[in-house]
Amino acid sequence: MKATIHKETIGLNDDWTLEWPNQGPVPAQVPGDVNDDLVRAEVLPEPLLADNSSSFAWVEETVFRYRRAIQASSDYVRAELVLHGIDGTGRLFLDGESIGNTANAFRTYRFDLTEALRNGGTHELIIEMESGVSGAVEQAASATGGRYICDDHRERLFLRKPQFSFGWDWAPRLVTLGLWRDVELVLYGRAAIADHHCTASCTDRGARLKARFDVDTYAGEWSGEAVLRIPELQAEVRAQCGPGAGELLLDLPEVERWYPAGFGDQRLYRVELELLERGEVIDTRVFDYGFRELLLDRTPGADGTESFRFIVNDRPLFCKGANWVPPDSLPGRVDPAKQSALIEAAVEAGFNMLRVWGGGVYPDDQFFELCDRHGILVWQDFMMACSEYPDDDPGFVEEFVAEARDNLRRLRHHPSLALWCGNNENHWIFGVYKRGEGGRLKPFYGRELCDRILPELCRELDPGRPYIPSSPFDADPEGFQNGEESGDVHAWEVTIHGTTERERTDFRRYRGERGRFISEYGLLAAALPATIRQFSGADTLEQAHPGVRAHDNSFNKGHTDACVAFMYGGLPQSREELIYKSNAYQAIGYREAILSTRVRLEECGGTLFWMYSDCWGTHGWTAVDYYLRRRPAWFWIRKAYAPIGIYSFSRGPKSEFYAINDGPKEAICRYLIEAGPFDGVDRSFDGEVRLPPYSVERVAVSYDLKGWIRSRLWRDESLLSDECVTAFLPGEIAYPETELRVVRRRCGDDAECVLSASRFAHFVILEHPDGCEASDNYLNLAAGAEYRITVRGCSPEDIQVKALNAATVAYCDED
C-alpha cells in the first residue's frame, strides 16, 4: 500500500443525529448544543424566552447519544478524529468498540483511528454524552468535596465547563452539553507539523521572525525540509529538518508595526510555514501575524505604589473597554455575524481592550481574528471564576493543565492577545475574605494552579506575554489583592459593596477611586422596552409578569428603583418612564466612572467596565444587549472614550473642565464651553489648548453653574467631542418641562433628524426600527441649539422622538 504524502482534513460537522432514552433520533447541529437541538426538534421551547429555561433541568440528568457514519480512504499513514470542543462527559465508540473518553469542554481531543479505518468502508461513530452534573453534585456533597468553598452552585467547580451556565446574576441556569466546536477527521502522510510558535524582535532597521515548530512522524525514519516565508515581503528561509523540534529565523527589512485601535494601523502579514518531503508540501500552517512589542509596565513608585500600564511599541496605552462574556447562553450557537457586529460596535465606541472573563469560555479563532483586525487588545482569563478549585486532585490538575496547554498554543500568535490572567476574583474572595486574616492573603484551594502551574506553562509556551495570577491582584503576594497601590482593581463599592443604599447608588463615589487599573465595575439598569417585550414573549413591561421577572438580575432586588429614586428624587408612575430613567442613571453613571479614571491618566492605566454584552435578554450591566440593541450607556460610553475630548466635572458649586488626549500624537485644539439656566446661555468660555500625547489639561474653572453645560472641542474644522450634561442631578434641581422640535428628512437610504428644544431637554430618545443605527441617541440638548442626527437605513416617518422632560414634540417633515 502506498501512502499519500499530503495531509487531508475531512470536516465531520454534518449528518449527525441525536437520541436519548426512548426518544429520537432527531437531527443534531454541529457545532451546537443538545439544548438547541431539542428546541429545533420542538421537544423543548426556546430556553431564552420568558421563563422557559426552567424546563431544561432534565437535560442535565440525561444521557444523550450523537451518531454519524464516517469513512476514509486507505491512502494514509495515520488517521485522527479531532474534537475541537466537546462539552460534557463523553464516551466514544467506533463500530461498538471504545476509542476514548472526554471530560473537558475547553480541550481539543485527538483519537487515533489509524487501524480502525485502515480497510476502508463505512463506520459508525457514536458519542455518548452527559453533562456530568449528577456526579459533580455527589462529589460536592462528599466529605472530600465539602472542603472547597464556592458560594453558588458548588457542583460547577468540579466540571471543566462554562461556569456561567450554572447560573449567574446576569445569566440563567442552562447547563451546556454537546459538540460545540468543529469535528474533523485528519489523515496524515509520513509526517506533519504538530505545533508552531512565532515570536519577533523589532528594531528601527527591521525585524527578526523566529518560528519554532515540532514535527511528528508516523512511519519510521523521516527527513524533510521546513520553509518559513512572508510572501508580501518576498522573504523566505528554509532548512533541513527531522522529527521533533525545529527552528527557523527570518531576517526582514523594515516592517510596519501592529498597533491597538487609535494608535496606528493594524498591520498584519500573512505567514506561511511549510513542511516538505522530497520537494512536495505535505503540511502547511498559514496565519496572520502582527509585529508589535508589548509589555506590562509595573514600575515601582517612590511612594510605595506600582504602576499597571500597557506599553505597545514604546507608547503608553490607556486601556478603554469592557469585560466580555459569551454572547449566548449556549456558546455553541454563537453566530459569527453576531460576534463580528459586537466587535465592530466596540471599535465604534472607542474600545481598545476587552477582558475575557474567567467564567465563560476561551473565545474561538474568529473572535481573536476580529480583534487582530480591529486593534482590540485581549486580556484573557483562564477559565476559573469566583470559586475555589480542587488543585489537590491530580485528575483535575491534569485536565486543567491539558486545557491550558491547548489554549496557550492556539491563541499565542495573535497580536491582540495582551495578557494571561489566572482567574477571576479567586485570590481576593477566597484567599483574603474567606480564608485570609487581617486583610492578608492566605492559602486557598486553586492557588497552586495560578501561582505556580500557570506561570510555568506561560513561560514555557508563551514566554513573551505578561501573566498575572488573578484579577484583581496586588504586587504584594500576600496583600489585600484589591488595593489601590498596585495591580488592578474591581471597584464594586457602588452597586454591590456599599453599606448603605446611598453608597450603592451614588455613582459620584467613583471620583474617589484611586486604583492603578480599574478592570471591573458596573451599574445596573432595566432592559429597554423593546427588549423586555422580546425576551418576555408578551406585550408587557410589568416586572411582576413571570416572563419579565425570570430575566431579572439577582443583584437587582429593587436596586434599579433605588437608583432612579436617588437620581430623580422619586419614582415615576409610568413603568416605561422608570425604565428610561434607570437607563439614564446607568449611562450618566458610566460616564462618571470612566472620566474619573481618564483624568488620572498619569497614575491609572485603564478602565474596563462590567460588562459589554449579554448572553440573554435581561436587566443588567451591559452597553449592548443580547439582541444587539445599543443601550443608552453605549452612546455615553462612546463620548467618554473619545480619544481626544473635553469634559466637565461638577463638585458642589465648582465646575472644572479638562481636555484629554490619550492618543500618540500632539493635538492643538479649540474649545467652546457654554452654560446657562435651563432656558438659555448665560456663560461661555473658549480658547485654544495644546495637548501633548497622553496628557490631561485643565482648561477652565467656573462656579455656581446651576443648569446645563455643553463642552465642545475641535481640531481644525473637525468636531472631536460634544457633550451636554448638568451641574446637578435632576433630583437636586428640578428640570423644567420643554418643547421639542423635530425636523425629519430623507437623505438617500438614511434619515436625518434636526432636533432643537425651547429649554434644556434631558435624555432625548430616538426610537427607530431594529436594524437601523442612529449616529447619536439618548442625549441631552442645550437650550436653543440644533443637533443633527442620522439614522442609517431608516425612513423618516419611522422615527419617533421623546425626552424625559418633554411636554410636547412637534414634527416637521421635509422631502
Side-chain angles (χ1 to χ4, degrees):
M1 178 181 67
K2 178 179 178 296
T4 179
I5 61 173
H6 299 285
K7 184 176 82 172
E8 180 183 1
T9 299
I10 302 169
L12 298 181
N13 288 345
D14 299 329
D15 303 322
W16 290 91
T17 60
L18 182 72
E19 56 195 59
W20 59 103
N22 303 315
Q23 296 290 334
V26 301
Q29 181 170 296
V30 177
D33 191 287
V34 164
N35 296 280
D36 211 22
D37 291 331
L38 297 175
V39 173
R40 281 189 295 271
E42 300 182 348
V43 175
L44 284 169
E46 165 56 42
L48 306 188
L49 180 66
D51 57 356
N52 291 346
S53 60
S54 61
S55 63
F56 283 72
W58 65 270
V59 177
E60 299 179 14
E61 312 298 330
T62 303
V63 177
F64 292 87
R65 180 174 289 183
Y66 281 91
R67 187 192 301 266
R68 69 153 288 161
I70 65 171
Q71 57 187 357
S73 71
S74 60
D75 196 17
Y76 62 83
V77 177
R78 180 179 174 86
E80 284 184 350
L81 175 68
V82 183
L83 306 178
H84 290 281
I86 175 168
D87 184 357
T89 301
R91 298 171 292 278
L92 283 75
F93 302 90
L94 189 70
D95 298 332
E97 297 293 325
S98 173
I99 58 174
N101 302 313
T102 70
N104 191 326
F106 306 128
R107 284 186 57 184
T108 297
Y109 285 94
R110 299 176 182 275
F111 300 97
D112 183 1
L113 301 187
T114 304
E115 296 306 320
L117 303 182
R118 177 68 69 195
N119 295 324
T122 300
H123 304 265
E124 183 181 57
L125 175 62
I126 294 175
I127 305 177
E128 286 187 352
M129 292 185 63
E130 56 188 314
S131 69
V133 169
S134 296
V137 168
E138 294 176 3
Q139 200 171 356
S142 71
T144 300
R147 64 171 170 252
Y148 311 115
I149 303 174
C150 180
D151 291 340
D152 295 300
H153 315 298
R154 293 186 64 253
E155 67 273 18
R156 70 179 172 86
L157 67 94
F158 301 98
L159 297 172
R160 298 312 297 153
K161 298 172 70 70
Q163 301 286 275
F164 83 108
S165 70
F166 293 86
W168 226 267
D169 62 284
W170 43 270
R173 184 179 180 104
L174 190 62
V175 176
T176 52
L177 177 66
L179 299 173
W180 73 292
R181 285 186 172 155
D182 291 335
V183 181
E184 297 171 339
L185 179 66
V186 184
L187 307 179
Y188 298 95
R190 287 160 39 84
I193 301 169
D195 189 26
H196 73 283
H197 183 209
C198 286
T199 58
S201 57
C202 302
T203 68
D204 293 337
R205 296 181 299 277
R208 167 170 281 190
L209 184 68
K210 179 189 293 185
R212 291 191 175 98
F213 58 92
D214 290 321
V215 175
D216 280 353
T217 58
Y218 309 114
E221 294 184 4
W222 182 89
S223 64
E225 188 177 29
V227 180
L228 178 68
R229 72 168 64 88
I230 301 179
E232 182 179 351
L233 298 177
Q234 298 181 329
E236 179 181 293
V237 64
R238 57 180 63 212
Q240 296 298 308
C241 66
E247 182 175 288
L248 292 169
L249 297 175
L250 185 59
D251 288 314
L252 301 164
E254 183 175 353
V255 297
E256 297 178 49
R257 303 284 187 96
W258 181 96
Y259 285 94
F263 271 64
D265 294 334
Q266 289 72 57
R267 188 65 166 90
L268 297 170
Y269 293 89
R270 180 56 56 96
V271 176
E272 299 174 357
L273 176 64
E274 293 179 344
L275 190 65
L276 282 71
E277 181 179 12
R278 298 191 298 274
E280 288 195 68
V281 177
I282 61 171
D283 198 3
T284 304
R285 300 291 175 92
V286 180
F287 54 94
D288 289 333
Y289 190 83
F291 290 88
R292 63 106 177 106
E293 294 182 331
L294 178 147
L295 62 89
L296 178 59
D297 176 19
R298 295 175 56 188
T299 303
D303 57 355
T305 62
E306 182 181 278
S307 62
F308 192 99
R309 188 185 313 277
F310 290 91
I311 309 293
V312 182
N313 298 328
D314 298 322
R315 296 175 179 176
L317 176 74
F318 186 86
C319 295
K320 299 177 293 190
N323 287 254
W324 176 273
V325 303
D328 200 290
S329 285
L330 302 177
R333 73 174 183 184
V334 172
D335 182 353
K338 181 176 186 179
Q339 195 157 250
S340 180
L342 285 169
I343 297 299
E344 289 169 5
V347 174
E348 193 177 338
F351 288 26
N352 57 31
M353 177 173 275
L354 287 166
R355 173 183 173 236
V356 177
W357 172 74
V361 303
Y362 302 92
D364 62 10
D365 295 337
Q366 186 222 14
F367 171 86
F368 278 90
E369 289 163 3
L370 288 166
C371 290
D372 290 345
R373 194 159 64 243
H374 290 289
I376 302 293
L377 290 173
V378 179
W379 169 317
Q380 178 67 60
D381 284 5
F382 287 93
M383 292 300 110
M384 293 185 289
C386 303
S387 178
E388 290 191 309
Y389 288 88
D391 56 0
D392 59 337
D393 178 345
F396 182 93
V397 172
E398 181 181 359
E399 277 296 332
F400 185 82
V401 168
E403 160 194 324
R405 284 186 174 277
D406 279 356
N407 287 284
L408 280 160
R409 287 172 170 148
R410 179 172 67 89
L411 301 177
R412 62 190 175 182
H413 71 275
H414 288 283
S416 58
L417 180 60
L419 174 78
W420 293 104
C421 175
N423 68 69
N424 173 78
E425 297 188 342
N426 295 351
H427 282 59
W428 176 42
I429 295 175
F430 301 97
V432 176
Y433 280 113
K434 301 292 187 180
R435 299 194 185 271
E437 297 175 2
R440 304 290 290 176
L441 179 69
K442 296 294 182 181
F444 64 95
Y445 289 106
R447 187 178 181 185
E448 175 78 358
L449 296 172
C450 301
D451 286 10
R452 185 185 67 81
I453 293 174
L454 281 175
E456 290 177 359
L457 287 171
C458 288
R459 282 192 294 271
E460 174 193 347
L461 297 173
D462 195 14
R465 203 91 53 182
Y467 171 85
I468 61 173
S470 183
S471 179
F473 94 106
D474 282 350
D476 179 355
E478 307 303 324
F480 177 65
Q481 302 303 304
N482 197 23
E484 297 179 336
E485 294 78 19
S486 65
D488 68 313
V489 168
H490 290 194
W492 286 109
E493 286 74 18
V494 180
T495 305
I496 294 176
H497 290 161
T499 57
T500 67
E501 187 173 278
R502 179 59 179 256
E503 289 180 350
R504 291 190 296 273
T505 57
D506 190 349
F507 51 65
R508 292 172 298 190
R509 296 180 65 220
Y510 287 122
R511 298 173 182 174
E513 177 59 55
R514 289 293 176 267
R516 298 287 151 168
F517 192 108
I518 318 300
S519 55
E520 250 196 50
Y521 57 92
L523 295 165
L524 281 167
L528 290 169
T531 295
I532 293 173
R533 294 187 176 101
Q534 190 164 354
F535 69 59
S536 68
D539 186 18
T540 182
L541 300 178
E542 295 306 316
Q543 187 63 23
H545 186 278
V548 179
R549 191 171 60 248
H551 290 249
D552 200 2
N553 186 292
S554 62
F555 276 118
N556 189 0
K557 299 174 183 175
H559 178 75
T560 52
D561 288 5
C563 293
V564 170
F566 156 73
M567 185 163 162
Y568 289 93
L571 294 177
Q573 293 184 343
S574 160
R575 180 67 187 167
E576 182 170 321
E577 185 179 354
L578 177 67
I579 288 167
Y580 278 121
K581 283 185 173 179
S582 78
N583 276 272
Y585 167 89
Q586 183 189 54
I588 296 169
Y590 274 134
R591 172 204 181 267
E592 186 79 21
I594 289 167
L595 294 178
S596 294
T597 60
R598 290 194 71 195
V599 295
R600 300 191 298 111
L601 198 62
E602 291 302 318
E603 64 181 42
C604 181
T607 175
L608 308 174
F609 66 88
W610 178 266
M611 56 191 192
Y612 176 49
S613 61
D614 288 309
C615 69
W616 74 327
T618 181
H619 305 315
W621 315 97
T622 57
V624 179
D625 74 19
Y626 176 72
Y627 305 107
L628 295 179
R629 294 189 180 100
R630 297 178 179 186
R631 302 181 68 187
W634 184 90
F635 292 89
W636 285 72
I637 289 164
R638 181 180 61 174
K639 292 177 182 179
Y641 276 166
I644 305 173
I646 187 168
Y647 306 98
S648 67
F649 295 83
S650 296
R651 296 166 174 84
K654 183 180 180 181
S655 294
E656 298 177 283
F657 300 87
Y658 290 90
I660 302 174
N661 174 17
D662 61 27
K665 296 179 181 179
E666 178 180 274
I668 298 174
C669 300
R670 175 172 56 90
Y671 65 86
L672 173 63
I673 300 164
E674 297 173 297
F678 291 109
D679 58 356
V681 180
D682 70 354
R683 212 174 304 187
S684 66
F685 318 87
D686 62 356
E688 186 175 272
V689 59
R690 175 182 170 271
L691 294 171
Y694 213 75
S695 67
V696 178
E697 298 289 338
R698 191 174 76 166
V699 299
V701 179
S702 186
Y703 292 88
D704 298 321
L705 300 179
K706 301 294 186 186
W708 58 269
I709 305 167
R710 187 183 187 188
S711 307
R712 284 175 284 177
L713 190 73
W714 292 265
R715 180 171 54 191
D716 298 326
E717 298 303 315
S718 297
L719 180 64
L720 301 179
S721 76
D722 180 0
E723 71 157 17
C724 183
V725 296
T726 55
F728 292 88
L729 299 178
E732 298 169 333
I733 184 169
Y735 293 1
E737 289 188 339
T738 188
E739 293 78 38
L740 285 178
R741 185 172 186 269
V742 182
V743 178
R744 300 179 297 192
R745 62 173 68 99
R746 183 175 296 279
C747 295
D749 295 331
D750 305 326
E752 182 184 72
C753 289
V754 181
L755 308 176
S756 58
S758 59
R759 294 187 177 99
F760 166 80
H762 173 49
F763 210 66
V764 177
I765 302 159
L766 277 75
E767 294 183 338
H768 54 73
D770 285 340
C772 306
E773 294 294 347
S775 60
D776 202 356
N777 207 342
Y778 309 104
L779 68 160
N780 293 333
L781 302 187
E786 284 192 348
Y787 292 77
R788 295 179 182 271
I789 296 176
T790 299
V791 185
R792 296 194 301 269
C794 192
S795 297
E797 63 272 14
D798 290 334
I799 300 170
Q800 299 296 312
V801 182
K802 61 181 72 173
L804 291 181
N805 66 330
T808 61
V809 181
Y811 293 94
C812 177
D813 291 345
E814 298 180 355
D815 293 334

